[in-house]
Amino acid sequence: MPLLIDIFMCRTDNYGYLVHDVDSGRTAAIDAPDAKAVKAALALRGWRLTDIFITHHHTDHVEGVPALKREFGATVTGPRAEAEKILGLDHLIGPGENATLGATSFYVIGTPGHTLGHIVYYDHAGGHLFSGDALFSMGVGRMFEGKPGPMWEGLEEVRELPAETLVYCGHEYTLDNARFARSVDPRNAALAIRAAEVDKMRETGRFTIPVSLGMEKATNPFLRADRPELAWAMGLPPDAVPSAVFAALRAAKDNFK
């Protein structure tokens, strides 16, 4: 049986995710932004929480961990590199390792930048990527702790996953990301189509997530930092190293109004 995934909103703009392994009956929350929202989603589905998989240490991704662990006795798995910053971790994990949920295995990819120890979880069999705040639709997380080179390298590894992979990110930032993307990549036809679709989706209250990685490869300027047109948009030579283009894009997004 495939993995079942429930999507719901938490806090102001956080996405919450429950993933349910049908064969074993185990259910994991991907991050824990808000215990009440997670509990409400569990109740609607009739699932019991057994696990929590953490992508990084920021409060809006871990605040619900203590209450959920108390109530359900859930096992909490999170990044080894951020163990001292996350309360309640039971299992430490790092890039190249696997987290398991019953019969489902999630491969861990290191995506430093937003935080130094940020990780993402990839379910190869089902084609699901839980990207936290490393990769958004048409955007990436603000580079609070890391440097452009390692962040770009982590995203390059993510970019190598199959195009049909479905991306489940940490926040509903797609409208704003589309505005910035179009400002730096105005001749991108796929981007124009995706941006128009997103406008309609948000007008009717629909989620813009999940989105295929193939769509992100075509429309997300941060995944296209090795393209000459993005270097040109940043005022850099067409043969500029991708990490420099990525850094310029991130700085431009930081100041985008």
Side-chain angles (χ1 to χ4, degrees), residues 171-206:
H171 292 269
E172 179 52 77
Y173 290 162
T174 314
L175 269 178
D176 285 343
N177 288 342
R179 286 178 53 241
F180 173 74
R182 295 206 69 190
S183 77
V184 297
D185 200 7
R187 297 183 180 181
N188 186 328
L191 172 56
I193 294 168
R194 169 67 172 157
E197 289 176 342
V198 165
D199 280 341
K200 292 177 182 177
M201 294 171 83
R202 295 310 295 155
E203 282 176 6
T204 55
R206 286 181 290 161

Side-chain angles (χ1 to χ4, degrees), residues 1-4 19-27 47 101-104:
M1 291 288 288
L3 196 70
L4 299 180
V19 294
H20 180 74
D21 180 74
V22 175
D23 290 340
S24 66
R26 297 184 71 88
T27 301
W47 296 339
L101 183 73
T104 304

Side-chain angles (χ1 to χ4, degrees), residues 1 12 47 57 117 133 137 198 223 238:
M1 291 288 288
T12 303
W47 296 339
H57 69 80
D133 286 2
S137 182
V198 165
L223 294 185

